């Protein structure tokens, strides 16, 4: 089995993000893994983590175009701008290298990095805590009695750094995703390079520690592309990496556009689209 700290460059996949995240842009592409939240213990336990790695990012000369990967939570379900209180932590690649980032619609207080994204986020310098070719754990958590959420990023020594506070006291979690995204600020989509690996999303039981995400049930734990037309011509996914149903990749070169993840019987039901 491939150890999650020993990254091996493989053709990347894309994971869908529910909302836009970083920098000013004209559009976004996503490969999404929408994690199941229909089991009460998942949305009620308020502590979620996943390991992310990048095998490379944009190579063009536009410093505003990015590719990224992240875990996110929706802390509300109201309509309108910022109605979902979408909040995310992850890694983002620009043409200058790899950064960690936090973005949250309720607003943030940065403990590391610089305020960015209209003061709704924070971003580290290139090489601060993260770099290409290694897995890093990212986490979103709120504790009993707190009126905020905490975003953490693991550094190269395996130390989890509290990088930002998310200014929401919500204990309601409506959606949780692990996604890959491309964002651009040009008139046409450049489909910039992005290769991200995702390993073992988990939730904290507060009894016996972190547990693996629950197995699928029919259509939950679903992987899909948005917009659908990007896959597989530009972005897609590879699943069951290293024969591990909880390890997948998303981004440039992937061919799987739809799948049910974490099947109880370890038999995947992918839809590979070539048209």
């Amino acid at each position: 089995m491939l150890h999650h700290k020993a990254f091996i460059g493989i053709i990347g996949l894309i994971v869908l993000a529910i909302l836009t995240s970083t920098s000013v842009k004209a559009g976004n592409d996503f490969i999404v893994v929408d994690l199941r939240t229909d089991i009460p213990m998942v949305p009620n336990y308020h502590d979620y983590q996943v390991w992310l790695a990048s095998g490379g990012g944009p190579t063009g000369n536009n410093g505003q175009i990015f590719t990224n990967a992240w875990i996110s939570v929706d802390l509300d379900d109201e309509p309108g701008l910022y109605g979902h209180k979408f909040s995310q932590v992850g890694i983002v690649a620009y043409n200058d290298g790899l950064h960690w980032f936090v973005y949250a619609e309720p607003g943030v207080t940065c403990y590391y990095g610089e305020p960015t994204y209209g003061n709704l986020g924070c971003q580290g310098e290139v090489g601060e805590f993260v770099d290409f070719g290694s897995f890093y754990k990212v986490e979103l958590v709120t504790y009993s009695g707190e009126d905020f959420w905490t975003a953490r990023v693991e550094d190269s020594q395996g130390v989890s750094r509290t990088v930002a506070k998310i200014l929401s006291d919500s204990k309601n979690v409506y959606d949780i995703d692990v996604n890959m995204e491309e964002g651009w600020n040009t008139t046409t989509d450049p489909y910039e390079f992005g290769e991200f690996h995702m390993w073992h999303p988990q939730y904290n039981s507060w009894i016996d520690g972190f547990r693996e995400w629950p197995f699928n049930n029919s259509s939950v734990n679903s992987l899909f592309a948005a917009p659908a037309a990007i896959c597989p011509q530009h972005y897609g996914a590879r699943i069951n990496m290293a024969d591990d149903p909880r390890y997948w990749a998303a981004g440039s070169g992937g061919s799987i556009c739809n799948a049910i993840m974490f099947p109880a019987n370890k038999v995947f039901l992918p839809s590979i689209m070539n048209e």
Side-chain angles (χ1 to χ4, degrees):
M1 172 182 172
L2 177 65
H3 192 280
H4 70 275
K5 286 292 182 181
F7 175 77
I8 294 180
I10 309 173
I11 294 178
L13 318 175
I14 272 191
V15 180
L16 167 75
I18 296 305
L19 287 176
T20 64
S21 55
T22 59
S23 89
V24 177
K25 49 198 172 289
N28 308 80
D29 297 326
F30 304 98
I31 299 292
V32 180
V33 171
D34 188 18
L35 296 172
R36 69 180 305 181
T37 55
D38 59 315
I39 300 174
M41 62 185 178
V42 173
N44 291 339
Y45 283 6
H46 306 133
D47 192 359
Y48 314 107
Q49 65 182 26
V50 68
W51 283 260
L52 303 174
S54 175
T59 58
N61 58 12
N62 187 329
Q64 294 298 309
I65 295 172
F66 65 86
T67 54
N68 63 10
W70 34 270
I71 188 170
S72 68
V73 295
D74 283 359
L75 300 178
D76 210 335
D77 64 348
E78 294 300 310
L81 185 65
Y82 303 155
H84 286 186
K85 295 184 180 178
F86 174 75
S87 304
Q88 61 184 164
V89 60
I91 53 178
V92 56
Y94 293 90
N95 61 5
D96 66 348
L98 191 68
H99 311 245
W100 63 265
F101 80 98
V102 176
Y103 171 87
E105 292 176 347
V108 301
T109 298
C110 301
Y111 298 134
Y112 288 92
E114 295 295 330
T116 187
Y117 319 138
N119 291 320
L120 295 181
C122 317
Q123 183 174 288
E125 295 295 327
V126 173
E128 182 182 37
F129 307 151
V130 300
D131 204 351
F132 294 117
S134 296
F135 272 97
Y136 301 95
K137 183 175 68 177
V138 296
E139 179 184 9
L140 293 170
V141 57
T142 186
Y143 298 101
S144 177
E146 291 185 342
D147 61 355
F148 60 90
W149 282 71
T150 294
R152 294 196 178 105
V153 176
E154 184 181 76
D155 67 17
S156 59
Q157 304 303 310
V159 177
S160 287
R161 307 278 185 162
T162 297
V163 295
K165 177 168 69 174
I166 296 171
L167 305 178
S168 173
D169 61 358
S170 174
K171 303 298 182 184
N172 298 315
V173 175
Y174 295 90
D175 190 66
I176 307 172
D177 291 338
V178 175
N179 299 332
M180 177 270 182
E181 174 189 10
E182 182 217 27
W184 71 94
N185 65 344
T186 52
T187 55
T188 59
D189 191 339
Y191 301 111
E192 267 285 9
F193 183 78
E195 179 186 63
F196 293 92
H197 290 230
M198 291 79 166
W199 194 89
H200 285 247
Q202 299 175 339
Y203 68 97
N204 195 343
S205 72
W206 303 106
I207 298 171
D208 55 3
F210 280 93
R211 297 175 178 174
E212 302 292 351
W213 218 266
F215 289 124
N216 76 324
N217 176 16
S218 182
S219 62
V220 298
N221 292 331
S222 57
L223 180 149
F224 57 96
I230 65 172
C231 188
Q233 291 86 350
H234 304 289
Y235 300 115
R238 293 182 65 186
I239 61 178
N240 203 28
M241 305 279 285
D243 199 31
D244 182 346
R246 297 179 183 277
Y247 175 25
W248 73 100
S252 304
S255 61
I256 293 174
C257 303
N258 296 275
I260 301 301
M261 306 294 285
F262 322 145
N265 58 6
K266 295 188 178 182
V267 176
F268 283 91
L269 301 173
S271 173
I272 301 178
M273 304 169 62
N274 295 314
E275 65 271 18

